[in-house]
């Protein structure tokens, strides 16, 4: 492994995290992703104040990602006209903060958060999500 020239590197941007999320999503099993039709994935720096309050977060760094919508177990296929699409938010700054204290790669963390949030869409257990992540590696 060559030594990195850190003097020229910048923190990953919103677009960089989005590209990692797109690559992670593309690597997921087709049986998993075909049930995600219409799912919108967004990357923001931080959750908004309403979300922080709703999730009872003590800090804007407490939440790495969030699923909002109607999961498959709640009848996502029955969504009504005017209802917002199912959405996943990935929060760049909390993800980067977590990465700074982790031995995992940034890509692995983004994949983990994405799979976890998609798992909420499916109503999956943590064990189910771990298996999907393992298959996406």
């Amino acid at each position: 492994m060559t030594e990195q020239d850190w003097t020229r590197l910048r923190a990953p941007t919103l677009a960089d995290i989005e590209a990692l999320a797109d690559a992670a999503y593309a690597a997921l099993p087709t049986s998993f992703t075909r049930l995600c039709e219409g799912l919108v994935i967004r990357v923001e720096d931080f959750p908004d104040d309403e979300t922080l309050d709703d999730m009872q977060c003590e800090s804007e760094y407490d939440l790495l990602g969030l699923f909002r919508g109607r999961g498959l177990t709640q009848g996502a296929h029955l969504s009504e006209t005017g209802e917002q699409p199912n959405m996943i938010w990935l929060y760049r700054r909390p993800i980067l903060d977590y990465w700074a204290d982790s031995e995992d790669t940034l890509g692995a963390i983004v994949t983990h958060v994405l799979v976890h949030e998609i798992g909420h869409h499916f109503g999956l257990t943590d064990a189910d999500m771990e298996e999907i992540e393992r298959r996406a590696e």
Side-chain angles (χ1 to χ4, degrees):
M1 184 178 203
T2 61
E3 190 172 318
Q4 191 74 259
D5 180 4
W6 291 97
T7 63
R8 298 179 189 272
L9 295 178
R10 298 182 188 273
T13 64
L14 292 169
D16 294 332
I17 302 297
E18 186 174 335
L20 286 171
D22 289 345
Y25 186 84
L28 295 174
T30 305
S31 60
F32 188 66
T33 58
R34 79 167 169 252
L35 296 173
C36 294
E37 185 176 333
L39 181 69
V40 176
I41 300 170
R42 303 239 352 233
V43 179
E44 301 284 341
D45 271 323
F46 288 105
D48 61 28
D49 290 336
E50 181 181 343
T51 298
L52 291 170
D53 290 343
D54 288 348
M55 301 304 292
Q56 300 176 347
C57 295
E58 293 180 23
S59 160
E60 60 191 355
Y61 287 91
D62 288 350
L63 196 60
L64 304 180
L66 180 70
F67 170 80
R68 283 237 167 118
R70 187 188 299 233
L72 291 179
T73 61
Q74 300 164 325
H77 60 287
L78 302 173
S79 60
E80 301 173 18
T81 303
E83 190 172 49
Q84 293 292 322
N86 286 337
M87 296 185 73
I88 290 175
W89 280 268
L90 301 177
Y91 299 116
R92 182 182 79 95
R93 296 284 305 278
I95 287 171
L96 294 178
D97 189 63
Y98 182 87
W99 177 47
D101 275 342
S102 173
E103 292 186 15
D104 293 328
T105 65
L106 183 56
I109 293 167
V110 169
T111 299
H112 173 77
V113 175
L114 182 65
V115 168
H116 183 85
E117 297 310 329
I118 291 173
H120 289 302
H121 172 65
F122 289 111
L124 298 177
T125 67
D126 286 338
D128 294 333
M129 289 184 255
E130 287 172 14
E131 174 62 19
I132 291 163
E133 278 184 74
R134 188 190 61 70
R135 290 174 51 196
E137 292 176 346

